[in-house]
Amino acid sequence: MFVEIMNAISKYAIPFILLAIPAYGFFKKVKVYEAFTDGAKEGFTTAVRIIPFLVAMLVSIGIFRASGAMDILVKAVSPITGLIGMPGEVLPMAIMRPLSGGGASGIMSELITTHGADSLIGRMASIMNGSTETTFYVLAVYFGSVAIKKTRHALPAGLIADAVGLVTAVLVANLMFG
Amino acid sequence: MINVVWFLFIAVGIIVAAFTGNIEAVTDSAISSARLAVDLSLGLIGVMALWLGIMKIAEVSGLIKAISKALRFVMVPLFPDVPADHPAMGAIIMNMAANVLGLGNAATPLGLKAMQELQELNPNKDTATNAMCTFLAINTSSVTLIPASIIAIRASAGSANPTEIIGPVIVATVASTTAAIIAVKLLQKLPAFQIKPQDLEEVKGQ
């Protein structure tokens, strides 16, 4: 029941917003077409402004991923993550998650194919992936769009939140499906 | 922090690649990543224009102000430096709603709009404000009700119950959002993350 309601909301949310906001404007006597195009013309400049920041971030992550340094990092961290009940198979995905959304999804698909979607590993990988964000990508895009270079405590705070999300995902998965 | 992390990814990557024999893969990856970054950015243009247009209507009609007013009891404690009726509040709320509902396509343009509004309040244009860091911490740890892409991968892999992860994901994201808010509010007090007086001088001198 809850799932069906949620699916209906996500299906209708965008059409609803696309109707509701112009309708509200229309009845408030806003020139909706002119307001829309006025706002929309910023789309191009915003997208272009992100480019240097995204190139910097994706290139450095790409080099790190392709080098094989990930395997070394996994070996170094696995004794610690084993203590909280995280199987070694899932660890590469956990490390990949804040760096690359596509990379993490790739590892998750691989784990699900090898171990089965309804295995503990398959479920844990799904929950971990759904509970965290591509923090580096988001920071590069969001700060890049306004040309912020000194990001202060945004990265450590985001990574702490990712770590808490991952650990909680492992605990909940073991509790529910272990 | 970001300078160190960025440099380490490149330095460690290239040194490790030299030992593991992946040096050609590193070259390929550097070039293809640069191309991917441009494709991703340019791919945003259309959807950015759409949502920025819709947001403009919401702004001009006073809708955003009304929404921010209704939610000021949550927003003002989270973002004490932002005036309660500032357009940034409305854009932040819209971005959070899109994230919670798993509407990734709408979330990014709305979030970038929020950053632009926050930047207007920023006296130091190259340095993040507390409000920006708080917004991004909440954004990257967002409570998620519908992890749509994960459910799709599970369904296509033949899971008997692809949506069974929704409950656990809600629990884990509530925990991560809580941690994000606590972390960002504590970290902003640390001396290492204060805006230094010499940074301000630099800006004035320009």
Side-chain angles (χ1 to χ4, degrees):
Chain A
M1 185 63 186
F2 173 75
V3 173
E4 278 158 29
I5 294 172
M6 282 301 151
N7 284 338
I9 290 177
S10 66
K11 203 154 93 191
Y12 284 98
I14 287 183
F16 172 78
I17 297 168
L18 290 182
L19 173 65
I21 292 179
Y24 184 87
F26 193 78
F27 288 115
K28 287 272 176 183
K29 305 218 165 20
V30 171
K31 290 178 178 151
V32 283
Y33 177 78
E34 286 169 31
F36 180 91
T37 49
D38 189 32
K41 68 175 183 234
E42 290 166 39
F44 183 79
T45 43
T46 309
V48 170
R49 208 157 33 211
I50 301 167
I51 292 176
F53 297 88
L54 211 51
V55 169
M57 198 53 91
L58 294 191
V59 167
S60 87
I61 290 170
I63 290 173
F64 188 76
R65 275 184 64 184
S67 70
M70 193 67 85
D71 304 330
I72 299 171
L73 193 58
V74 167
K75 276 204 191 91
V77 184
S78 59
I80 307 164
T81 48
L83 292 178
I84 60 158
M86 187 192 291
E89 291 89 336
V90 207
L91 181 59
M93 199 197 80
I95 295 177
M96 184 65 82
R97 189 65 183 95
L99 304 176
S100 158
S105 288
I107 301 177
M108 178 191 142
S109 301
E110 211 172 276
L111 288 172
I112 284 183
T113 319
T114 321
H115 301 272
D118 298 327
S119 64
L120 177 63
I121 287 178
R123 284 163 163 160
M124 191 182 286
S126 309
I127 299 167
M128 285 163 65
N129 207 353
S131 308
T132 43
E133 246 298 347
T134 323
T135 301
F136 282 90
Y137 170 82
V138 171
L139 291 193
V141 169
Y142 278 52
F143 279 133
S145 73
V146 289
I148 295 271
K149 294 187 192 78
K150 294 171 187 155
T151 61
R152 294 177 61 219
H153 53 297
L155 183 59
L159 292 178
I160 289 172
D162 279 336
V164 170
L166 287 173
V167 171
T168 313
V170 170
L171 297 179
V172 175
N174 279 324
L175 209 64
M176 278 185 67
F177 306 115
Chain B
M1 172 95 180
I2 204 140
N3 287 302
V4 177
V5 173
W6 186 79
F7 173 71
L8 278 181
F9 278 145
I10 294 179
V12 172
I14 289 175
I15 294 167
V16 169
F19 285 103
T20 54
N22 290 332
I23 201 79
E24 279 166 359
V26 161
T27 309
D28 291 344
S29 178
I31 290 163
S32 65
S33 298
R35 190 172 300 139
L36 175 68
V38 176
D39 289 346
L40 285 173
S41 307
L42 295 184
L44 272 176
I45 294 175
V47 73
M48 284 287 314
L50 169 62
W51 287 107
L52 291 176
I54 292 289
M55 279 297 282
K56 194 73 177 185
I57 299 177
E59 199 182 307
V60 178
S61 63
L63 182 61
I64 291 188
K65 239 177 198 164
I67 296 173
S68 333
K69 214 173 193 175
L71 288 175
R72 63 189 299 165
F73 67 98
V74 210
M75 301 301 286
V76 170
L78 283 176
F79 303 97
D81 308 330
V82 181
D85 58 349
H86 194 274
M89 290 295 208
I92 293 172
I93 292 168
M94 305 279 284
N95 167 267
M96 286 179 180
N99 269 328
V100 169
L101 296 176
L103 308 174
N105 278 337
T108 306
L110 295 171
L112 297 186
K113 174 80 181 160
M115 289 301 282
Q116 279 168 18
E117 298 290 354
L118 290 173
Q119 181 73 330
E120 307 238 316
L121 295 168
N122 187 1
N124 260 328
K125 297 300 180 198
D126 70 340
T127 307
T129 59
N130 285 344
M132 287 175 176
C133 294
T134 308
F135 171 53
L136 282 177
I138 294 174
N139 181 298
T140 58
S141 65
S142 174
V143 172
T144 308
L145 295 181
I146 309 151
S149 60
I150 311 290
I151 293 171
I153 296 176
R154 292 174 57 77
S156 71
S159 167
N161 187 2
T163 52
E164 67 185 356
I165 55 140
I166 287 181
V169 166
I170 294 175
V171 173
T173 51
V174 167
S176 67
T177 307
T178 312
I181 295 170
I182 295 171
V184 86
K185 295 286 178 191
L186 291 178
L187 289 174
Q188 78 187 27
K189 297 206 173 82
L190 291 184
F193 297 120
Q194 298 299 317
I195 300 167
K196 294 173 194 72
Q198 64 261 36
D199 295 342
L200 290 171
E201 293 299 315
E202 261 172 51
V203 173
K204 274 180 202 150
Q206 273 170 5

